[in-house]
């Protein structure tokens, strides 16, 4: 390939660097496996039968059901942005509620970094199906029947880096917004009048800033330089939003501040993606889901599961106006429910397309009516499949190893203690802590903040390791998802190749 030392290919160049002792990876790569934060599984012990334990958990989750819609502090789009972020950093393809799984053996199919591989895949060379065959810097997007849908193959399958981002029409449109952002910025990056183009100057300035300057020309094929500048620009703005809007929307500021000051309270060599994070603490989003949403201001709310048009083409009537989900400063934004121990009634009767039969929890049969309760599924997966530490156990560990955090231990709720269970499943415990303020705090806030800050600290190219400031066009230091979405909606029709990028 052109631009490589002595006309070496990228692979040959990597081999040469390794032989010369100058390989870029001078430190061990990030671990990609799950594991337990406290080092070992927490098996069910004691004299209670599994049936008695199951009955107690059913009583616990039945007390969570609510028909009262109480607005919380977060915009509703942040719930689904949080789901999008989850898909960027984790993919456990071995999920189960009744079979024991060693978290260390789970292969995390996603890279454990906030790098938007769910959008970009592995780039134009390694994931060519995501990109235009002639204009390889551009991601495919849109269909002739629905300009704002994801690009699809002949079978209707979305051409995206993570298929889960097509499981509902809200997350799919956040995915689409990031694809549009890339394509808009790419059209500016390739503008021949670069010196006069403010957006182009920004892209090439951010793309080549700080740490990447020392290695850029050695690791990037010249024809992909514009692409890499744009990808890095999008990634850094995305990371900034995760740290400065997503986390503060759902996590107490004190927990975030503590993580930034000391991001290794669980140890420097612990799992990068703890099972306690993916299987419990970060599942707080289930409590923030509204039973219905308006896609546009002039229409009636739609039931949550009516929008679960999974893995199939979307019609224009399903296009959402971003101002209904993110604050575009026009007063139309709906609100998410607060984080806490109340959940929308809708989530206690999952559709038949998701659960349509009874399930086994060990040797116990869980009736289909109970198996349809999302809260119960979370707890049973915790106790049998992942065997997570209880909320009380994590609280005591933090009290002993990180006393500066001032973590307080909560007692088991009455639904459990009255049935002789004194340890609370971690997922419920995190929600219980949040009841007072509508945000994760204590154990839950610490786990979530620590994981995200550690991911950013360990990534040498992240916003915590560069002098990055968001572009003024997105609001500068006051950037929000709403401001960025407004810019995308304003500019997405200006992409010169827009129609050529459609597929499906």
């Amino acid at each position: 390939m052109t631009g490589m030392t002595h006309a070496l290919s990228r692979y040959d160049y990597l081999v040469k660097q390794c032989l010369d002792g100058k390989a870029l990876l001078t430190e061990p790569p990030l671990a990609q496996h799950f594991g337990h934060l406290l080092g070992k599984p927490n098996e069910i012990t004691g004299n209670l039968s599994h049936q008695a334990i199951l009955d107690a958990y059913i009583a616990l989750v039945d007390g969570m059901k609510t028909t009262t819609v109480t607005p919380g502090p977060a915009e509703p789009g942040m719930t689904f942005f949080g789901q999008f972020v989850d898909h960027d950093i984790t993919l456990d393809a071995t999920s189960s509620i009744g079979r024991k799984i060693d978290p260390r053996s789970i292969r995390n199919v996603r890279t454990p970094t906030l790098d938007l591989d769910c959008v970009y895949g592995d780039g134009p060379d390694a994931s060519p199906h995501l990109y235009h065959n002639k204009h390889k810097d551009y991601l495919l997007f849109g269909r002739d029947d629905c300009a704002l849908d994801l690009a699809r193959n002949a079978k209707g399958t979305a051409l995206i880096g993570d298929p889960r981002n097509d499981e509902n029409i809200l997350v799919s449109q956040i995915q689409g917004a990031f694809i549009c952002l890339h394509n808009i910025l790419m059209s500016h990056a390739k503008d021949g009048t670069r010196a006069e183009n403010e957006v182009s100057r920004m892209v090439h300035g951010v793309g080549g800033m700080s740490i990447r300057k020392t290695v850029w020309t050695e690791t990037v094929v010249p024809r992909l330089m514009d692409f890499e500048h744009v990808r890095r620009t999008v990634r850094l703005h995305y990371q900034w939003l995760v740290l400065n809007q997503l986390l503060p929307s759902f996590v107490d500021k004190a927990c975030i501040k503590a993580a930034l000051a000391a991001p290794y309270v669980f140890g420097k060599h612990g799992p990068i993606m703890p099972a306690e994070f993916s299987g419990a603490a970060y599942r707080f989003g289930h409590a923030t889901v509204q039973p219905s949403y308006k896609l546009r201001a002039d229409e009636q709310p739609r039931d949550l599961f009516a929008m679960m048009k999974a893995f199939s083409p979307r019609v224009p009537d399903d296009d959402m106006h971003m101002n209904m989900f993110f604050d575009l400063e026009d007063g139309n934004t709906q609100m998410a429910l607060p984080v806490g121990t109340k959940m929308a009634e809708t989530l206690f009767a999952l559709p038949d397309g998701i659960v349509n039969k009874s399930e086994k929890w060990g040797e116990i049969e869980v009736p289909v009516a109970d198996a349809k309760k999302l809260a119960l599924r979370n707890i049973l997966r915790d106790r049998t499949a992942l065997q997570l530490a209880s909320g009380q156990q994590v609280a005591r560990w933090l009290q002993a190893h990180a006393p500066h955090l001032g973590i307080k231990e909560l007692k088991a709720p009455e639904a459990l203690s009255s049935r002789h269970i004194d340890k609370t499943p971690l997922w419920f415990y995190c929600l219980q802590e949040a009841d007072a303020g509508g945000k994760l705090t204590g154990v839950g806030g610490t786990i979530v903040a620590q994981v995200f800050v550690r991911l950013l600290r360990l990534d040498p190219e992240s916003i915590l390791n560069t002098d990055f400031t968001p572009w003024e066009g997105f609001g500068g230091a006051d950037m929000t998802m709403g401001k960025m979405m407004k810019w995308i909606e304003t500019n997405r029709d200006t992409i010169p190749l827009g129609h050529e990028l459609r597929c499906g």
Side-chain angles (χ1 to χ4, degrees), residues 276-476:
E276 290 81 1
F277 170 85
S278 60
Y282 197 64
R283 293 193 173 217
F284 68 84
H286 295 162
T288 72
V289 173
Q290 292 275 18
S292 62
Y293 295 93
K294 285 186 176 183
L295 293 183
R296 293 178 286 275
D298 59 352
E299 73 167 32
Q300 293 299 310
R302 301 192 192 190
D303 179 78
L304 175 67
F305 290 113
M307 294 183 284
M308 297 289 287
K309 300 178 180 180
F311 315 115
S312 60
R314 195 174 77 245
V315 297
D317 188 51
D318 289 336
D319 291 345
M320 70 192 233
H321 290 178
M322 290 296 177
N323 66 340
M324 301 301 296
F325 292 86
F326 300 102
D327 185 10
L328 273 59
E329 301 178 336
D330 58 9
N332 286 319
T333 314
Q334 305 162 96
M335 299 304 291
L337 296 180
V339 182
T341 56
K342 295 298 180 183
M343 284 178 60
E345 186 178 33
T346 306
L347 300 178
F348 289 78
L350 298 177
D352 289 346
I354 299 175
V355 180
N356 58 16
K357 60 182 180 180
S358 61
E359 297 197 25
K360 285 283 189 179
W361 187 55
E363 299 300 318
I364 303 297
E365 188 85 12
V366 181
V368 63
D370 291 317
K372 283 176 171 286
K373 298 171 182 176
L374 180 58
L376 183 63
R377 298 179 70 83
N378 285 341
I379 289 175
L380 296 185
R381 185 172 185 263
D382 166 340
R383 295 309 305 120
T384 300
L386 299 177
Q387 297 186 336
L388 304 181
S390 69
Q392 288 83 3
Q393 288 172 316
V394 181
R396 292 169 195 169
W397 190 95
L398 288 170
Q399 288 171 347
H401 295 83
H404 65 283
L405 296 177
I407 300 295
K408 297 180 180 180
E409 180 182 335
L410 302 181
K411 294 181 179 180
E414 194 274 338
L416 297 182
S417 61
S418 65
R419 292 169 171 81
H420 310 292
I421 297 175
D422 59 4
K423 294 184 179 66
T424 309
L426 183 58
W427 173 74
F428 187 90
Y429 187 93
C430 294
L431 301 183
Q432 191 179 3
E433 290 179 311
D435 265 339
K439 295 184 179 183
L440 293 175
T441 187
V443 167
T446 297
I447 292 174
V448 171
Q450 286 284 329
V451 167
F452 276 111
V453 171
R454 188 181 179 205
L455 286 176
L456 291 171
R457 289 286 188 207
L458 292 175
D459 177 0
E461 297 181 4
S462 81
I463 58 170
L464 293 184
N465 294 308
T466 63
D467 298 323
F468 173 74
T469 301
W471 178 47
E472 287 298 326
F474 298 152

Side-chain angles (χ1 to χ4, degrees), residues 104-326:
R104 295 170 299 177
S105 70
I106 298 174
R107 178 173 178 260
N108 187 14
V109 182
R110 297 262 71 81
T111 55
T113 52
L114 293 162
D115 61 359
L116 286 175
D117 63 339
C118 61
V119 171
Y120 290 105
D122 291 319
D125 287 343
S127 302
H129 60 290
L130 306 181
Y131 299 84
H132 194 279
N133 62 338
K134 294 182 180 178
H135 310 290
K136 297 182 183 295
D137 292 331
Y138 289 86
L139 288 156
L140 297 171
F141 181 71
R143 301 182 298 108
D144 288 339
D145 291 341
C146 185
L148 299 181
D149 190 13
L150 301 171
R152 299 179 183 275
N153 65 16
K155 299 295 185 180
T157 302
L159 300 174
I160 53 178
D162 189 322
R164 295 174 298 170
N165 284 349
D166 192 34
E167 68 185 15
N168 70 64
I169 65 176
L170 302 179
V171 175
S172 75
Q173 292 183 71
I174 293 175
Q175 168 92 14
F178 276 95
I179 293 173
C180 283
L181 176 60
H182 171 87
N183 288 342
I184 296 167
L185 294 180
M186 182 56 65
S187 68
H188 285 277
K190 289 187 169 296
D191 188 343
T193 61
R194 180 175 300 179
E196 292 76 37
N197 187 318
E198 176 190 359
V199 181
S200 179
R201 293 199 307 272
M202 179 275 293
V203 167
H204 291 290
V206 171
M209 70 181 291
S210 302
I211 188 172
R212 289 291 282 178
K213 285 184 177 180
T214 61
V215 297
W216 203 252
T217 57
E218 295 181 353
T219 60
V220 178
V221 178
R223 66 178 175 80
L224 291 179
M225 188 69 74
D226 288 339
F227 170 82
E228 293 293 353
H229 280 180
V230 171
R231 177 162 64 173
R232 185 160 191 243
T233 298
V234 176
R235 279 177 174 172
L236 289 175
H237 283 92
Y238 160 69
Q239 291 175 358
W240 197 95
L241 287 168
V242 171
L243 181 62
N244 293 281
Q245 189 176 12
L246 177 64
L247 285 186
S249 293
F250 299 116
V251 179
D252 183 73
K253 288 183 179 179
C255 296
I256 302 171
K257 183 178 179 180
L260 288 168
Y264 302 107
V265 298
F266 292 106
K268 286 191 175 183
H269 303 294
I272 299 297
M273 197 51 55
E276 290 81 1
F277 170 85
S278 60
Y282 197 64
R283 293 193 173 217
F284 68 84
H286 295 162
T288 72
V289 173
Q290 292 275 18
S292 62
Y293 295 93
K294 285 186 176 183
L295 293 183
R296 293 178 286 275
D298 59 352
E299 73 167 32
Q300 293 299 310
R302 301 192 192 190
D303 179 78
L304 175 67
F305 290 113
M307 294 183 284
M308 297 289 287
K309 300 178 180 180
F311 315 115
S312 60
R314 195 174 77 245
V315 297
D317 188 51
D318 289 336
D319 291 345
M320 70 192 233
H321 290 178
M322 290 296 177
N323 66 340
M324 301 301 296
F325 292 86
F326 300 102

